Amino acid sequence: MKSTKVTVSKKQIHQYPGELLVAFIVQNEEGTPAGAGLLQPLLESLQQYKEFTGKAEEHILLYPPFVPLADGLSCRRLLLIGLGKIQAVADAGERNEAFRVAGGIIAAQCKTHKIEEAGVVLPGLAAAPDAESAEFLAEGILLGDYRFVKYKTRKKDEEDAYLGIKKIELLTDKNTVALRAGIARAESSALAACAARNMANEPANGWTPAHFAEYAENLVARGLKCTVLEKPELAEFGMGGIIAVNQGSETPPKLVILEYEPPGKSAETVLLVGKGLTFDSGGISLKPAQGMMDMKYDMCGGAAVITVMEVIAREKPDIRVVAMVPATDNMAGGGALKPGDVITHYGGLTAEIENTDAEGRLIVADALAYGIEKYQPDCVIDVATLTGAVVVALGHHYAGLLSNNDVLAERILAAGKYCGEPYWRLPMGEVYRKQIKSTIADMKNTGGKHGGAITAAEYLHQFTGKVPWAHLDIAGTAWDFTEKSYIPKGPSGFGVRTLITMLRQWEKGGFPRRNSEAGEKKSN
Ligand code: BES
Ligand code: MN
Ligand code: ZN
């Protein structure tokens, strides 16, 4: 994979000799733009024409001679980006997002003009520590500078020749430990999100359950423990959900497990489960042809939890993290699961299959049941492209959050705000659970037309019991996520940075061990 170097440089703004220099313009309370001292005369002349006001996301690319500039610059081009009235923004999440969006604009301009190296003048704002602006600018640049060219053989074509940014120099005289740590965090989270995007961009014939297993096994070298349960073991363990979904397929399923053990033994355990459905044809309840191609993305939850483990292995937080990816495709071969069939999940609960296209909950349920029993986690988070219904409810702008625990739900909402992956919590409860009652089994796998994202969560809830649990339904955000400068078309890597943010800022406590009512939502 291409790697982009982000370095810190003490060069002054007029000393940067490269292809592109980027500087930020903020607005004061009255809306007057201001930037680095040297740029002031230029800003004043731009103001005459009212073409650039410094509003957030506004940008202008200038070429020399930069006439009113007294000192002169040595760069070939100058990109000014507005940050608006960022000085007045008190919310860190909102500021982070402004920097990320600005970073995305830099990546887009580099792409348009095939620029491989750029100098970026850190804005040095009173409202935001330099480490923070550096972190999120770098994150936005790295997330925006993404392309998937693996299957393009004609790379030499004019259009494809540019392979992205090679080097970013952050110009600042404050090269502190905190600043470098911020850049390292940005590199780490962007790399993980881009790795998840790569997995998702792979076609279903290029990314099978075996590829998930292989990727996870490669992380053993980074100090993680990896276990892959193969089809015979899944059957023997009674994981009837995974086996059932896989029945119509020629490609064997896998349950991929990665464990991170922190240095201190007393740490809390977080279990992550990601839906790794490598292609969802719907099975016998076949999906319509139109848009079916997108169902290669149905493994985005699995991609998210596995790439997060890569970051965990690198950053070594003081928390035990276990990630599980139930992986299979959902096909309609001769042996396929049929509507009306009854399956038995890990642990013994039975389900009547009303629709073979509601398969995600079947594979995630087995993983939840097994993972909770085996790892006794303090809390569990599953990430899944689970329902079309969540897209109807929230569109492509928020992911659905469903939880039996207010403390956990609040942490996820906060992490989402901080990292620019927003969640909206949906209700749960007995009234919804009733919709998945079956006349002949413990439950059925669909709950009718209404409240589909919630009834799907209630299905999973049958397997989590009272363990603090949150379900992230990323069906609307895993690809075609809301338009932003640093989000490419196609898969977004959504969920990766939420989990990383949460685990980095892990607050101990909050989930008193087992069966305690603390934090449990009273209405459930
Ligand atoms: N993978 C789909 C959900 C999905 C749909 C994700 C659209 C992204 C975009 C899931 O397996 C599915 O097919 N769900 C069904 C459930 C229904 C049959 C109860 C759905 O949402 O239609
Ligand atoms: Mn489906
Ligand atoms: Zn699916």
Side-chain angles (χ1 to χ4, degrees), residues 339-360:
D341 285 359
V342 173
I343 64 164
T344 305
H345 278 292
Y346 184 84
L349 286 175
T350 61
E352 182 182 15
I353 303 305
E354 195 170 48
N355 188 319
T356 65
D357 196 12
E359 85 299 335

PDB file of all heavy atoms in Angstrom, residues 339-360:
ATOM      1  N   PRO A 339     -37.288 -20.364   3.257  1.00  0.00           N
ATOM      2  CA  PRO A 339     -38.285 -19.718   4.121  1.00  0.00           C
ATOM      3  C   PRO A 339     -39.107 -20.804   4.808  1.00  0.00           C
ATOM      4  O   PRO A 339     -39.527 -21.781   4.170  1.00  0.00           O
ATOM      5  CB  PRO A 339     -39.126 -18.907   3.130  1.00  0.00           C
ATOM      6  CG  PRO A 339     -38.196 -18.625   1.987  1.00  0.00           C
ATOM      7  CD  PRO A 339     -37.344 -19.860   1.872  1.00  0.00           C
ATOM      8  N   GLY A 340     -39.303 -20.660   6.081  1.00  0.00           N
ATOM      9  CA  GLY A 340     -40.042 -21.665   6.852  1.00  0.00           C
ATOM     10  C   GLY A 340     -39.145 -22.615   7.625  1.00  0.00           C
ATOM     11  O   GLY A 340     -39.575 -23.240   8.600  1.00  0.00           O
ATOM     12  N   ASP A 341     -37.896 -22.728   7.217  1.00  0.00           N
ATOM     13  CA  ASP A 341     -36.963 -23.591   7.951  1.00  0.00           C
ATOM     14  C   ASP A 341     -36.803 -23.087   9.389  1.00  0.00           C
ATOM     15  O   ASP A 341     -36.945 -21.896   9.659  1.00  0.00           O
ATOM     16  CB  ASP A 341     -35.571 -23.580   7.289  1.00  0.00           C
ATOM     17  CG  ASP A 341     -35.528 -24.405   6.003  1.00  0.00           C
ATOM     18  OD1 ASP A 341     -36.567 -25.000   5.643  1.00  0.00           O
ATOM     19  OD2 ASP A 341     -34.456 -24.436   5.363  1.00  0.00           O
ATOM     20  N   VAL A 342     -36.465 -24.010  10.292  1.00  0.00           N
ATOM     21  CA  VAL A 342     -36.170 -23.617  11.665  1.00  0.00           C
ATOM     22  C   VAL A 342     -34.701 -23.942  11.942  1.00  0.00           C
ATOM     23  O   VAL A 342     -34.226 -25.024  11.602  1.00  0.00           O
ATOM     24  CB  VAL A 342     -37.089 -24.347  12.674  1.00  0.00           C
ATOM     25  CG1 VAL A 342     -36.638 -24.048  14.116  1.00  0.00           C
ATOM     26  CG2 VAL A 342     -38.539 -23.913  12.483  1.00  0.00           C
ATOM     27  N   ILE A 343     -34.002 -22.993  12.502  1.00  0.00           N
ATOM     28  CA  ILE A 343     -32.582 -23.207  12.816  1.00  0.00           C
ATOM     29  C   ILE A 343     -32.362 -23.116  14.321  1.00  0.00           C
ATOM     30  O   ILE A 343     -33.185 -22.554  15.047  1.00  0.00           O
ATOM     31  CB  ILE A 343     -31.684 -22.166  12.110  1.00  0.00           C
ATOM     32  CG1 ILE A 343     -31.978 -20.752  12.635  1.00  0.00           C
ATOM     33  CG2 ILE A 343     -31.891 -22.222  10.598  1.00  0.00           C
ATOM     34  CD1 ILE A 343     -30.907 -19.746  12.287  1.00  0.00           C
ATOM     35  N   THR A 344     -31.245 -23.675  14.785  1.00  0.00           N
ATOM     36  CA  THR A 344     -30.899 -23.585  16.206  1.00  0.00           C
ATOM     37  C   THR A 344     -29.572 -22.852  16.353  1.00  0.00           C
ATOM     38  O   THR A 344     -28.560 -23.245  15.781  1.00  0.00           O
ATOM     39  CB  THR A 344     -30.775 -24.986  16.837  1.00  0.00           C
ATOM     40  OG1 THR A 344     -32.007 -25.685  16.588  1.00  0.00           O
ATOM     41  CG2 THR A 344     -30.538 -24.895  18.334  1.00  0.00           C
ATOM     42  N   HIS A 345     -29.597 -21.755  17.090  1.00  0.00           N
ATOM     43  CA  HIS A 345     -28.405 -20.937  17.284  1.00  0.00           C
ATOM     44  C   HIS A 345     -27.473 -21.526  18.336  1.00  0.00           C
ATOM     45  O   HIS A 345     -27.877 -22.396  19.125  1.00  0.00           O
ATOM     46  CB  HIS A 345     -28.816 -19.526  17.729  1.00  0.00           C
ATOM     47  CG  HIS A 345     -29.212 -18.634  16.603  1.00  0.00           C
ATOM     48  ND1 HIS A 345     -28.310 -18.180  15.670  1.00  0.00           N
ATOM     49  CD2 HIS A 345     -30.412 -18.107  16.244  1.00  0.00           C
ATOM     50  CE1 HIS A 345     -28.937 -17.403  14.799  1.00  0.00           C
ATOM     51  NE2 HIS A 345     -30.216 -17.348  15.109  1.00  0.00           N
ATOM     52  N   TYR A 346     -26.273 -20.999  18.406  1.00  0.00           N
ATOM     53  CA  TYR A 346     -25.360 -21.334  19.494  1.00  0.00           C
ATOM     54  C   TYR A 346     -26.074 -21.031  20.809  1.00  0.00           C
ATOM     55  O   TYR A 346     -26.634 -19.953  20.980  1.00  0.00           O
ATOM     56  CB  TYR A 346     -24.072 -20.510  19.405  1.00  0.00           C
ATOM     57  CG  TYR A 346     -23.082 -20.923  20.471  1.00  0.00           C
ATOM     58  CD1 TYR A 346     -22.243 -22.005  20.269  1.00  0.00           C
ATOM     59  CD2 TYR A 346     -23.025 -20.246  21.695  1.00  0.00           C
ATOM     60  CE1 TYR A 346     -21.358 -22.415  21.248  1.00  0.00           C
ATOM     61  CE2 TYR A 346     -22.133 -20.647  22.682  1.00  0.00           C
ATOM     62  CZ  TYR A 346     -21.306 -21.744  22.450  1.00  0.00           C
ATOM     63  OH  TYR A 346     -20.433 -22.143  23.426  1.00  0.00           O
ATOM     64  N   GLY A 347     -26.061 -21.980  21.710  1.00  0.00           N
ATOM     65  CA  GLY A 347     -26.731 -21.781  22.997  1.00  0.00           C
ATOM     66  C   GLY A 347     -28.129 -22.360  23.045  1.00  0.00           C
ATOM     67  O   GLY A 347     -28.728 -22.457  24.108  1.00  0.00           O
ATOM     68  N   GLY A 348     -28.685 -22.705  21.864  1.00  0.00           N
ATOM     69  CA  GLY A 348     -29.934 -23.449  21.863  1.00  0.00           C
ATOM     70  C   GLY A 348     -31.194 -22.722  21.440  1.00  0.00           C
ATOM     71  O   GLY A 348     -32.218 -23.363  21.193  1.00  0.00           O
ATOM     72  N   LEU A 349     -31.185 -21.392  21.363  1.00  0.00           N
ATOM     73  CA  LEU A 349     -32.393 -20.688  20.934  1.00  0.00           C
ATOM     74  C   LEU A 349     -32.709 -21.039  19.470  1.00  0.00           C
ATOM     75  O   LEU A 349     -31.806 -21.152  18.638  1.00  0.00           O
ATOM     76  CB  LEU A 349     -32.230 -19.169  21.075  1.00  0.00           C
ATOM     77  CG  LEU A 349     -32.276 -18.600  22.495  1.00  0.00           C
ATOM     78  CD1 LEU A 349     -31.986 -17.098  22.479  1.00  0.00           C
ATOM     79  CD2 LEU A 349     -33.633 -18.872  23.162  1.00  0.00           C
ATOM     80  N   THR A 350     -34.006 -21.187  19.189  1.00  0.00           N
ATOM     81  CA  THR A 350     -34.409 -21.553  17.829  1.00  0.00           C
ATOM     82  C   THR A 350     -35.066 -20.367  17.123  1.00  0.00           C
ATOM     83  O   THR A 350     -35.623 -19.482  17.767  1.00  0.00           O
ATOM     84  CB  THR A 350     -35.420 -22.714  17.852  1.00  0.00           C
ATOM     85  OG1 THR A 350     -36.586 -22.292  18.585  1.00  0.00           O
ATOM     86  CG2 THR A 350     -34.816 -23.958  18.475  1.00  0.00           C
ATOM     87  N   ALA A 351     -34.977 -20.386  15.794  1.00  0.00           N
ATOM     88  CA  ALA A 351     -35.595 -19.312  15.019  1.00  0.00           C
ATOM     89  C   ALA A 351     -36.205 -19.867  13.746  1.00  0.00           C
ATOM     90  O   ALA A 351     -35.638 -20.750  13.087  1.00  0.00           O
ATOM     91  CB  ALA A 351     -34.547 -18.246  14.676  1.00  0.00           C
ATOM     92  N   GLU A 352     -37.376 -19.343  13.457  1.00  0.00           N
ATOM     93  CA  GLU A 352     -38.065 -19.691  12.214  1.00  0.00           C
ATOM     94  C   GLU A 352     -37.646 -18.667  11.167  1.00  0.00           C
ATOM     95  O   GLU A 352     -37.674 -17.458  11.428  1.00  0.00           O
ATOM     96  CB  GLU A 352     -39.573 -19.620  12.469  1.00  0.00           C
ATOM     97  CG  GLU A 352     -40.424 -20.006  11.281  1.00  0.00           C
ATOM     98  CD  GLU A 352     -41.923 -19.864  11.569  1.00  0.00           C
ATOM     99  OE1 GLU A 352     -42.307 -19.213  12.557  1.00  0.00           O
ATOM    100  OE2 GLU A 352     -42.712 -20.412  10.773  1.00  0.00           O
ATOM    101  N   ILE A 353     -37.259 -19.176  10.008  1.00  0.00           N
ATOM    102  CA  ILE A 353     -36.766 -18.274   8.948  1.00  0.00           C
ATOM    103  C   ILE A 353     -37.940 -17.841   8.076  1.00  0.00           C
ATOM    104  O   ILE A 353     -38.521 -18.648   7.366  1.00  0.00           O
ATOM    105  CB  ILE A 353     -35.707 -18.988   8.075  1.00  0.00           C
ATOM    106  CG1 ILE A 353     -34.549 -19.504   8.940  1.00  0.00           C
ATOM    107  CG2 ILE A 353     -35.200 -18.057   6.971  1.00  0.00           C
ATOM    108  CD1 ILE A 353     -33.867 -18.467   9.804  1.00  0.00           C
ATOM    109  N   GLU A 354     -38.260 -16.566   8.165  1.00  0.00           N
ATOM    110  CA  GLU A 354     -39.349 -16.072   7.337  1.00  0.00           C
ATOM    111  C   GLU A 354     -38.789 -15.561   6.012  1.00  0.00           C
ATOM    112  O   GLU A 354     -39.430 -15.657   4.983  1.00  0.00           O
ATOM    113  CB  GLU A 354     -40.081 -14.947   8.071  1.00  0.00           C
ATOM    114  CG  GLU A 354     -41.433 -14.622   7.466  1.00  0.00           C
ATOM    115  CD  GLU A 354     -42.241 -13.685   8.367  1.00  0.00           C
ATOM    116  OE1 GLU A 354     -41.689 -12.663   8.832  1.00  0.00           O
ATOM    117  OE2 GLU A 354     -43.411 -13.978   8.611  1.00  0.00           O
ATOM    118  N   ASN A 355     -37.572 -15.021   6.084  1.00  0.00           N
ATOM    119  CA  ASN A 355     -36.965 -14.426   4.902  1.00  0.00           C
ATOM    120  C   ASN A 355     -35.460 -14.702   4.951  1.00  0.00           C
ATOM    121  O   ASN A 355     -34.784 -14.312   5.908  1.00  0.00           O
ATOM    122  CB  ASN A 355     -37.255 -12.915   4.911  1.00  0.00           C
ATOM    123  CG  ASN A 355     -36.829 -12.244   3.617  1.00  0.00           C
ATOM    124  OD1 ASN A 355     -35.778 -12.538   3.064  1.00  0.00           O
ATOM    125  ND2 ASN A 355     -37.651 -11.332   3.133  1.00  0.00           N
ATOM    126  N   THR A 356     -34.969 -15.378   3.930  1.00  0.00           N
ATOM    127  CA  THR A 356     -33.541 -15.755   3.969  1.00  0.00           C
ATOM    128  C   THR A 356     -32.630 -14.547   3.759  1.00  0.00           C
ATOM    129  O   THR A 356     -31.420 -14.643   3.933  1.00  0.00           O
ATOM    130  CB  THR A 356     -33.207 -16.821   2.906  1.00  0.00           C
ATOM    131  OG1 THR A 356     -33.397 -16.254   1.599  1.00  0.00           O
ATOM    132  CG2 THR A 356     -34.076 -18.063   3.063  1.00  0.00           C
ATOM    133  N   ASP A 357     -33.239 -13.414   3.384  1.00  0.00           N
ATOM    134  CA  ASP A 357     -32.447 -12.194   3.201  1.00  0.00           C
ATOM    135  C   ASP A 357     -32.188 -11.487   4.538  1.00  0.00           C
ATOM    136  O   ASP A 357     -31.363 -10.577   4.610  1.00  0.00           O
ATOM    137  CB  ASP A 357     -33.167 -11.265   2.213  1.00  0.00           C
ATOM    138  CG  ASP A 357     -32.268 -10.172   1.668  1.00  0.00           C
ATOM    139  OD1 ASP A 357     -31.041 -10.258   1.867  1.00  0.00           O
ATOM    140  OD2 ASP A 357     -32.798  -9.240   1.032  1.00  0.00           O
ATOM    141  N   ALA A 358     -32.881 -11.892   5.579  1.00  0.00           N
ATOM    142  CA  ALA A 358     -32.567 -11.340   6.911  1.00  0.00           C
ATOM    143  C   ALA A 358     -31.538 -12.268   7.549  1.00  0.00           C
ATOM    144  O   ALA A 358     -31.794 -12.950   8.547  1.00  0.00           O
ATOM    145  CB  ALA A 358     -33.835 -11.242   7.753  1.00  0.00           C
ATOM    146  N   GLU A 359     -30.354 -12.324   6.899  1.00  0.00           N
ATOM    147  CA  GLU A 359     -29.322 -13.305   7.263  1.00  0.00           C
ATOM    148  C   GLU A 359     -28.282 -12.737   8.216  1.00  0.00           C
ATOM    149  O   GLU A 359     -27.645 -13.486   8.954  1.00  0.00           O
ATOM    150  CB  GLU A 359     -28.631 -13.815   5.989  1.00  0.00           C
ATOM    151  CG  GLU A 359     -27.473 -12.946   5.452  1.00  0.00           C
ATOM    152  CD  GLU A 359     -27.885 -11.537   5.066  1.00  0.00           C
ATOM    153  OE1 GLU A 359     -29.065 -11.341   4.744  1.00  0.00           O
ATOM    154  OE2 GLU A 359     -27.036 -10.628   5.091  1.00  0.00           O
ATOM    155  N   GLY A 360     -28.109 -11.406   8.202  1.00  0.00           N
ATOM    156  CA  GLY A 360     -27.053 -10.808   9.027  1.00  0.00           C
ATOM    157  C   GLY A 360     -27.250 -11.132  10.490  1.00  0.00           C
ATOM    158  O   GLY A 360     -26.324 -11.542  11.201  1.00  0.00           O
TER     159      GLY A 360
END
